Amino acid sequence: MSGETAWYLGVGRDEVADRAILVGDPGRVDLFAERLTNVTANGGDRALRTVTGNFRDRRVTVCSFGMGAPIAVVVLEELAGLGVRTVLRAGTMMSLGEVPLGTLVLADAALRGEATSATYLPPDGPAHADGALTDCLAHVLTESGAPYRRGLVASYDGFYSQLFAIHEALADELRHRGVIAADMETSALLAVAPLLGVRAASLCLASVDGPTQRRLDPKRRDEDERRLVEVALEAIHRFEKEEP
């Protein structure tokens, strides 16, 4: 942080809400902005974008971080320093073959295969999502009728060396441990958030099938990402309204 302005996001405390949605793809920020009113936008350094607006009667901030756990946690740190206390990751994940493409994946916990969270706390045990926020997401998902799976996920640093190189033996081991999908950021965000006084959860679209490397076609992905946007906004809005 530099004074009252976040170092990389380039925004001040009065420019963000007390709840935020974190996305990887900067283009996904636009999908959220379409559903907000009274939107203000700020461009930070690198691929970081921030918009804040109203979803019905609640202010919500949406930030992009690009790819990978290190920068995702930088954004989390800066938002926490500005007073954000509820964070939802809304992104994409790789299915390990048992979660159909287009399914939303709600993480109860995440195996910590990335290294960023180990700079904050010992690298043992999975990172757990905030239970109340995750339950709220599950309720909204059920009401919406969107296809979803809830369970254990895993996060790794190497996209090509680990995620795309997951061989059948490792995939079988992960499935045996109950892992249903993998990404690069969820475990770091879930592990670090409680240390910063932030409640965090993760809801991601299964957009790639790991064993076959098959991807959602562009039209289907756009439809499914818009469904992700609706669920994420409704859940973070409802959760905050129900907070004591």
Side-chain angles (χ1 to χ4, degrees):
M1 305 288 287
S2 177
E4 293 298 315
T5 302
W7 188 282
Y8 284 108
L9 293 178
V11 294
R13 183 177 294 267
D14 62 346
E15 295 175 283
V16 298
D18 62 358
R19 65 201 65 85
I21 297 172
L22 303 189
V23 302
D25 183 359
R28 198 172 301 127
V29 174
D30 295 325
L31 296 181
F32 279 95
E34 290 174 5
R35 299 292 292 116
L36 303 177
T37 59
N38 301 318
V39 176
T40 58
N42 297 88
D45 286 348
R46 307 172 194 270
L48 308 182
R49 294 180 59 198
T50 303
V51 300
T52 296
N54 294 332
F55 183 70
R56 302 197 191 113
D57 59 342
R58 298 284 175 171
R59 282 183 88 216
V60 178
T61 291
V62 182
C63 290
S64 62
F65 55 78
M67 294 179 67
I71 190 60
V73 172
V74 166
V75 171
L76 175 64
E77 282 263 17
E78 294 197 352
L79 290 174
L82 295 172
V84 172
R85 290 296 173 261
T86 303
V87 163
L88 171 60
R89 161 160 163 70
T92 56
M93 279 193 173
M94 176 183 292
S95 168
L96 294 186
E98 297 180 357
V99 175
L101 295 185
T103 302
L104 295 175
V105 177
L106 178 59
D108 281 313
L111 298 184
R112 295 166 54 206
E114 41 71 34
T116 301
S117 61
T119 68
Y120 287 82
L121 69 170
D124 54 342
H128 292 273
D130 180 82
L133 180 54
T134 302
D135 285 345
C136 182
L137 282 156
H139 291 152
V140 173
L141 284 162
T142 299
E143 290 177 3
S144 73
Y148 81 97
R149 287 282 301 278
R150 179 174 178 174
L152 180 67
V153 303
S155 300
Y156 295 96
D157 286 325
F159 181 78
Y160 286 110
S161 61
Q162 291 177 301
L163 291 177
F164 256 36
I166 288 179
H167 52 76
E168 193 57 31
L170 177 57
D172 286 343
E173 177 187 345
L174 290 175
R175 287 192 288 264
H176 180 72
R177 298 181 67 178
V179 175
I180 60 175
D183 71 351
M184 301 177 70
E185 300 91 9
T186 289
S187 67
L189 291 171
L190 298 186
V192 176
L195 304 178
L196 303 176
V198 175
R199 307 175 79 161
S202 174
L203 179 67
C204 292
L205 172 68
S207 62
V208 177
D209 181 77
T212 64
Q213 298 185 3
R214 185 168 61 90
R215 297 188 292 180
L216 282 171
D217 68 76
K219 180 179 180 181
R220 171 75 184 280
R221 175 166 172 153
D222 181 69
E223 294 171 353
D224 290 339
E225 286 204 25
R226 290 180 184 278
R227 182 181 296 113
L228 170 67
V229 168
E230 294 299 324
V231 171
L233 286 171
E234 179 62 35
I236 205 165
H237 172 269
R238 185 180 303 185
F239 177 73
E240 291 297 334
K241 286 193 70 173
E242 294 175 353
E243 279 289 280

